[in-house]
Amino acid sequence: MHRYVLSAMVRFENVGMRYGAGPEVLRDVTFVLEAGSFTFLTGLSGAGKTTLLKLINMTEPPSRGLVTLFGQDLSITKRADFPALRRRIGVVFQDFRLLSHLSAFDNVALPLRLAGRKENEYVQDVEELLSWVGLGDRMQARPATLSGGEQQRIAIARAVVARPDLLIADEPTGNVDPEIGQRLMRLFAELNRLGTTVLIATHDRALIEGMRAREMRLVDGRLVELRTGRAA
Amino acid sequence: MIAANAILPRDKGAAPLDLVIGVMAFLAALALGASLIADRTALGWRAGLSDRLTVQIVPPTHKMGLDEEVDVALGVLRATPGIAHAAPLTQDQTLNLVQPWIGKDALVADLPLPRLIDATITPGAEVDLAALSRTLKQVAPDSLLDDHARWIARLKGLADAITWSAYGILLLIAIATAAAVSFATRAGLQAHHEMVELLHQMGAQSGFIARAFERHYFVSALVAASVGAVLAAAFYLGAGALEFAGVEAVPFLPPLALKFSEVPWLLAVPAVSGIIALATARLSVLAALRKIY
């Protein structure tokens, strides 16, 4: 049991979540994401996928239940330690959340800057990553001048550039064509192979079927384990 | 590449705050200038009077004549250790002193004006003024020794009142500036809440986010307050130019002019404004971030 907890990157026990006085959008959710695992989170719109991701990336506290991250119980973790935990997580938001006044390069470099890296240390990494996602020639473009798919690729590059211990992505391939989608999935798989725990919320069945990975499905706020698996 | 202050975009709506801070700084610099002028003028007045004595001899009610009382009083003064100089004012000098109040027509010459003796204390000398006053009363019963203490005290009181009023105004302006910056910071946080939340979620330390805001408002306040302080300096230097040209700005009051050596004090206004803006912005942002999970 002790070894099991230590290897758990994310652990939920009987977690419930409601916004204000509204109904519970997550009910008695219990699961573990083991270190180095690759997991799909599926479910209809409104099933609670985004809320579950918010609890993992520490945007919201749960209404009840236990959430541990990197072995730490968040309910007793000091607030001063939250930023360091958050920097270990890469997040691809469904709505991208790029900073409109920064270039593609600067958006991608942001996590490295927040981690205190010097600019001369990360320029090459950022340029290589932008080239990998097919935006090598758009590094100085502002988000407003880019298409939805291009913005999504920048958001993904930003989420993975710091080689996070945990990557969570909300519909990361929703706005890109299938070819780019496959390429991005290869990027996630490569990160997973290097040790990053990956959790992807998606509707894309083709994406899920293309990888032999675990699938968890949310149905009306309750979690159903559909498939166990290992990283592809 | 990301410039250090580029995390927060420059607000197009910041101009009203800049204007408010500029006006506040202008008023603060005027108040500070007024306190400097009051201090300097009071110091000059006090320095001019602190080593002076005046002996007034009113027309006698005794057998001694006025001139006789003046002579013996002069004798006592000149014999007193520490009195460097003592000399009576002539009738014309006395008339000139009262002329601004009662004019100088023929009737004035018939008024029973007192005789005045002007005396100077040797710098650094200690003179027992109470004993001197008693001695003068004994030899010249109608004499009255005035060491100007009451007048100096009133001048000091006036200067202190002006100075403390200026400090009070400066404090009020500082509070108003802090309130304006706090309001603007909250508006800025509201306008950029998505960006702030994103940085927060990405693991930015609260201090990092606060620095982006505090630097933004520090620079804004510094520039706006510098403009206000420069305008106030121009006002005082202009008043100095008027004084130089012989124009009396306000009758009976000292000239509203700063010396060149005093103008650098006005630089304190943009510096303090910047620090107030920086501290207020930082505290406002940190307070707002504490409310986010």
Side-chain angles (χ1 to χ4, degrees), chain A residues 57-61 74 79-80 82-83 86-87 93 97 99 101-102 105-106 109-111 113-114 119 123 140 158, chain B residues 1-9 194-195 197-206 208 215 289-293:
Chain A
N57 74 19
M58 304 165 72
T59 304
E60 303 276 355
L74 294 185
R79 290 288 299 272
F82 276 22
R86 288 187 173 112
R87 284 197 296 275
F93 298 99
R97 299 198 195 174
L99 298 186
H101 61 290
L102 297 184
F105 179 95
D106 289 334
L110 201 51
R113 206 175 150 213
L114 295 179
E119 189 173 303
V123 169
Q140 294 309 317
R158 183 182 64 188
Chain B
M1 309 305 158
I2 310 176
N5 57 354
I7 292 292
L8 189 69
E194 285 183 359
M195 187 196 79
E197 283 174 12
L198 175 71
L199 291 171
H200 183 70
Q201 284 168 18
M202 289 173 71
Q205 297 280 1
S206 298
F208 178 90
R215 188 175 289 136
L289 288 174
R290 272 195 290 274
K291 293 176 185 166
I292 305 177
Y293 177 61

Side-chain angles (χ1 to χ4, degrees), chain A residues 184-205:
Chain A
L184 292 175
M185 289 309 296
R186 283 205 300 278
L187 176 63
F188 293 148
E190 178 63 16
L191 269 174
N192 178 245
R193 195 184 62 76
L194 293 171
T196 296
T197 304
V198 178
L199 175 65
I200 295 175
T202 184
H203 282 104
D204 191 338
R205 289 310 308 174

Side-chain angles (χ1 to χ4, degrees), chain A:
Chain A
M1 180 66 185
H2 185 61
R3 194 178 63 78
Y4 171 79
V5 171
L6 279 181
S7 67
M9 190 63 74
V10 179
R11 183 175 170 217
F12 276 43
E13 278 187 20
N14 299 313
V15 170
M17 177 65 185
R18 68 172 78 238
Y19 293 100
E24 274 201 328
V25 289
L26 290 180
R27 296 174 208 164
D28 298 317
V29 172
T30 298
F31 71 91
V32 169
L33 292 184
E34 290 185 64
S37 61
F38 194 116
T39 308
F40 286 110
L41 178 66
T42 60
L44 298 174
S45 294
K49 298 192 296 295
T50 300
T51 297
L52 191 144
L53 296 186
K54 280 183 178 177
L55 297 186
I56 297 175
N57 74 19
M58 304 165 72
T59 304
E60 303 276 355
S63 303
R64 61 184 173 87
L66 174 75
V67 175
T68 69
L69 210 55
F70 311 117
Q72 294 196 46
D73 178 351
L74 294 185
S75 66
I76 56 171
T77 301
K78 290 179 190 167
R79 290 288 299 272
D81 295 333
F82 276 22
L85 292 179
R86 288 187 173 112
R87 284 197 296 275
R88 296 175 66 183
I89 307 171
V91 185
V92 182
F93 298 99
Q94 195 170 9
D95 53 358
F96 319 141
R97 299 198 195 174
L98 302 175
L99 298 186
S100 59
H101 61 290
L102 297 184
S103 65
F105 179 95
D106 289 334
N107 267 288
V108 174
L110 201 51
L112 300 171
R113 206 175 150 213
L114 295 179
R117 295 265 299 274
K118 295 273 186 291
E119 189 173 303
N120 57 356
E121 294 172 6
Y122 61 65
V123 169
Q124 194 179 349
D125 290 349
V126 174
E127 287 177 350
E128 280 178 7
L129 189 54
L130 277 167
S131 297
W132 172 260
V133 296
L135 292 170
D137 57 344
R138 306 300 308 273
M139 290 189 199
Q140 294 309 317
R142 295 282 190 275
T145 65
L146 300 171
S147 69
E150 287 173 325
Q151 290 184 39
Q152 190 157 29
R153 280 180 273 161
I154 292 172
I156 291 168
R158 183 182 64 188
V160 304
V161 70
R163 300 248 178 109
D165 292 327
L166 172 64
L167 175 72
I168 55 181
D170 199 355
E171 300 289 354
T173 57
N175 290 286
V176 295
D177 59 51
E179 187 186 341
I180 292 288
Q182 289 299 325
R183 190 169 182 171
L184 292 175
M185 289 309 296
R186 283 205 300 278
L187 176 63
F188 293 148
E190 178 63 16
L191 269 174
N192 178 245
R193 195 184 62 76
L194 293 171
T196 296
T197 304
V198 178
L199 175 65
I200 295 175
T202 184
H203 282 104
D204 191 338
R205 289 310 308 174
L207 213 63
I208 298 164
E209 300 305 331
M211 297 187 74
R212 291 182 298 111
R214 176 187 181 191
E215 181 183 351
M216 300 189 303
R217 186 172 179 84
L218 273 168
V219 181
D220 292 334
R222 292 185 189 278
L223 199 63
V224 181
E225 192 86 28
L226 286 188
R227 188 174 76 184
T228 57
R230 286 286 160 196

Side-chain angles (χ1 to χ4, degrees), chain B residues 69-91:
Chain B
E69 286 203 38
V70 169
D71 286 343
V72 294
L74 263 178
V76 168
L77 286 169
R78 284 171 178 162
T80 303
I83 300 293
H85 171 77
L89 268 64
T90 64
Q91 182 73 5

